[in-house]
Amino acid sequence: MGPHPAVAAIRLAVRRVLHDVLTEHPTATGDDRHPLVLVACSGGADSMALASALAFEARKLAVRAGGITVDHGLQPGSDLRATEVASRLTALRLDPVEAVTVTVGRQGGPEAAARDARYAALDEAADRLGAAAVLLGHTRDDQAETVLLGLARGSGIRSLSGMAAVTGTARRYRRPFLQLDRQTARKACLVQSLPVWDDPMNTDPAYTRSRLRHEGLPALEKSLGKGVVEALARTAQLCRDDADALDTWAAQAETTVRDEAGRLECAKLHALPPAVRRRVLRRAAIAEGAPAGSLFARHVEELDRLITAWRGQGAINLPGRVVARRQGGRLVIRQG
């Protein structure tokens, strides 16, 4: 008799990702040369299911499997919790296993600050240990929430494209569970008798994602039916494909809208489709030093008006002390 369907599903998802990693990082002779794959584990159902699947599949492949748990220090006893999670990972025969403590700042709000601190810690650990990949336990439900949060921001199809299956420098971060729902991961833990920890922050109404998870999505499902999460995840993939195509088009168009001196020509920019033109403008602003994370849709719209609604308006101040102005039919963007 084979494994429970939920266990089979999580193992298959991880197996596919490990095959991709092995294709990109061919193994050399000797176990110590096999690529190391880490799982980022909070102790919750999603990441514990992921850790169990990694431990099982890595033993059948030329892959070393380890684990990292991050202590954000935001709750009393979080250090003990991190130690306990590390012990569970070791019990799954993952090696190396580390519990890393971080200091969470305040930039961008509590959720963003915790996320930034967590990824910085994962990057440091992956670099230090020489990991080929880090697996993250985001599920289809997380993807649906991300799409709705992007919709609320109103910043275009890139914000609706959710999380990619592969992200990071050198394709470091992999999300095997984006096609699986949260319930499958929880069921896999249950039938394998894996202890899980439910983070109280996930049910705290002070956090936007928590409210969306426990109030917003259930209300949508009640009104529109149970297929909402799957439809949102599918929307994310379609938007991602569209956004990638437009980004490629913009990168190609950028070379055609500059004069011999490399200056952006307003007439040629005006001839581009709006979605492509705005991407060219955004890329140009970032190239001159505007921080990507602070350059919002409203900034790009102001830049666009210098092209499409020119009435002699003055210079525009952008994040990062970047200034844009129209001069003699050219758009000049530079540090102020």
Side-chain angles (χ1 to χ4, degrees):
M1 215 176 129
H4 186 279
V7 176
I10 63 168
R11 288 176 178 175
L12 176 60
V14 168
R15 190 182 318 142
R16 286 170 171 163
V17 168
L18 293 184
H19 279 300
D20 290 342
V21 172
L22 281 171
T23 300
E24 297 165 26
H25 301 269
T27 186
T29 304
D31 286 350
D32 60 325
R33 302 299 300 277
H34 293 165
L36 172 64
V37 176
L38 301 173
V39 57
C41 186
S42 67
D46 301 342
S47 58
M48 279 303 297
L50 183 58
S52 71
L54 173 62
F56 181 84
E57 293 296 332
R59 287 195 288 271
K60 303 192 296 180
L61 298 168
V63 172
R64 292 180 293 137
I68 302 289
T69 187
V70 178
D71 172 18
H72 298 84
L74 297 176
Q75 300 163 359
S78 63
D79 54 338
L80 298 176
R81 173 65 57 190
T83 301
E84 185 179 341
V85 172
S87 297
R88 291 175 185 173
L89 296 178
T90 300
L92 289 171
R93 294 181 11 201
L94 296 180
D95 181 35
V97 168
E98 292 188 2
V100 182
T101 302
V102 298
T103 301
V104 177
R106 297 184 178 181
Q107 185 101 17
E111 293 165 282
R115 183 175 60 248
D116 290 346
R118 180 167 61 254
Y119 277 102
L122 292 174
D123 277 335
E124 188 280 328
D127 287 338
R128 177 166 40 81
L129 297 172
V134 178
L135 306 189
L136 305 174
H138 297 118
T139 65
R140 190 169 65 189
D141 300 78
D142 295 306
Q143 185 74 298
E145 293 160 9
T146 302
V147 172
L148 287 175
L149 290 169
L151 181 63
R153 284 195 298 270
S155 51
I157 62 170
R158 180 56 75 187
S159 70
L160 298 182
S161 61
M163 296 174 283
V166 182
T167 55
T169 305
R171 297 168 55 83
R172 168 171 287 166
Y173 293 106
R174 314 283 175 128
R175 297 176 174 87
F177 288 176
L178 281 185
Q179 302 301 321
L180 299 179
D181 61 32
R182 193 172 286 144
Q183 204 54 42
T184 298
R186 187 167 287 277
K187 186 69 173 177
C189 290
L190 180 66
V191 299
Q192 294 180 105
S193 300
L194 290 173
V196 299
W197 172 63
D198 290 314
D199 188 344
M201 290 177 68
N202 289 336
T203 56
D204 188 341
Y207 296 98
T208 306
R209 188 178 283 268
S210 174
R211 293 195 303 275
L212 181 60
R213 179 173 302 178
H214 296 285
E215 300 170 22
L217 263 175
L220 279 175
E221 289 185 332
K222 185 177 179 181
S223 300
L224 303 175
K226 287 291 185 184
V228 168
V229 167
E230 187 176 357
L232 287 168
R234 189 165 59 249
T235 296
Q237 186 57 57
L238 293 171
C239 287
R240 179 166 296 281
D241 291 343
D242 288 351
D244 288 347
L246 287 167
D247 286 348
T248 300
W249 188 354
Q252 294 168 345
E254 190 170 1
T255 61
T256 69
V257 295
R258 294 183 182 272
D259 62 16
E260 298 81 1
R263 296 173 299 179
L264 290 165
E265 296 189 62
C266 295
K268 291 181 178 178
L269 282 167
H270 196 286
L272 292 175
V276 178
R277 182 175 60 247
R278 291 190 188 108
R279 280 169 167 77
V280 171
L281 294 174
R282 177 179 171 80
R283 287 168 58 94
I286 291 170
E288 293 301 326
S294 303
L295 193 63
F296 301 135
R298 58 183 173 83
H299 296 126
V300 179
E301 286 167 7
E302 284 187 64
L303 274 178
D304 200 42
R305 279 194 287 273
L306 291 179
I307 308 301
T308 61
W310 173 241
R311 301 289 184 272
Q313 57 263 48
I316 294 172
N317 294 313
L318 300 172
R321 299 180 62 191
V322 173
V323 178
R325 58 172 55 84
R326 181 164 171 154
Q327 292 179 340
R330 303 292 187 269
L331 184 66
V332 180
I333 305 174
R334 60 165 64 105
Q335 284 282 332

